[in-house]
Amino acid sequence: HPAVRAGDYVFVSGQLPKDENNDGISGTIEEEPLATLKTIERIIAEEGATLSDIVRITTYLEDTRDFGRYNRAFLQGIGDAVLARTTVEAKAVINTKIEMEAIVYKPLPKPQD
């Protein structure tokens, strides 16, 4: 499952850069974070959430020497969202430069009395 809801939280499993058809893409260190954020955005939209509802993102970066370029693209893609984040270096399982997982806080609607 790409995401699991636990009460008011949605946990998004590690996501790779994909296009709108859910086909994996390989791009530059600037393109991959933007594509991965779009993938996460599509997943959390199913829970009624947006990127601004993300409270934490962990990024697995294949090469930390790319951090500066990745970070500029990430900040562009995340917009005004305020979140905690961690970036760690890890060899990718699939031919990509990054993988991201996220925690989203999106309270469930309160039952009507």
Side-chain angles (χ1 to χ4, degrees):
H1 297 291
V4 175
R5 181 176 273 281
D8 290 338
Y9 289 90
V10 179
F11 295 84
V12 180
S13 61
Q15 296 299 310
L16 303 172
K18 298 177 185 171
D19 63 19
E20 297 79 20
N21 298 319
N22 216 27
D23 293 325
I25 60 171
S26 181
T28 67
I29 194 60
E30 292 85 7
E31 294 167 336
E32 286 195 12
L34 296 174
T36 306
L37 285 169
K38 293 276 188 202
T39 300
I40 291 171
E41 188 173 36
R42 287 190 297 273
I43 291 167
I44 65 177
E46 294 178 18
E47 295 291 339
T50 67
L51 292 179
S52 64
D53 295 311
I54 296 173
V55 294
R56 178 162 178 73
I57 281 188
T58 302
T59 300
Y60 301 93
L61 186 62
E62 185 177 48
D63 187 342
T64 54
R65 292 175 294 187
D66 289 334
F67 180 80
R69 292 170 49 213
Y70 147 78
N71 193 51
R72 284 189 292 280
F74 176 86
L75 292 173
Q76 174 191 349
I78 203 67
D80 294 332
V82 178
L83 51 90
R85 65 187 184 122
T86 301
T87 304
V88 295
E89 184 175 51
K91 182 159 175 51
V93 176
I94 298 175
N95 189 25
T96 63
K97 294 169 182 53
I98 67 159
E99 181 175 353
M100 289 183 192
E101 61 185 25
I103 300 173
V104 177
Y105 179 69
K106 185 63 177 177
L108 290 165
K110 302 279 187 218
Q112 297 296 326
D113 292 331

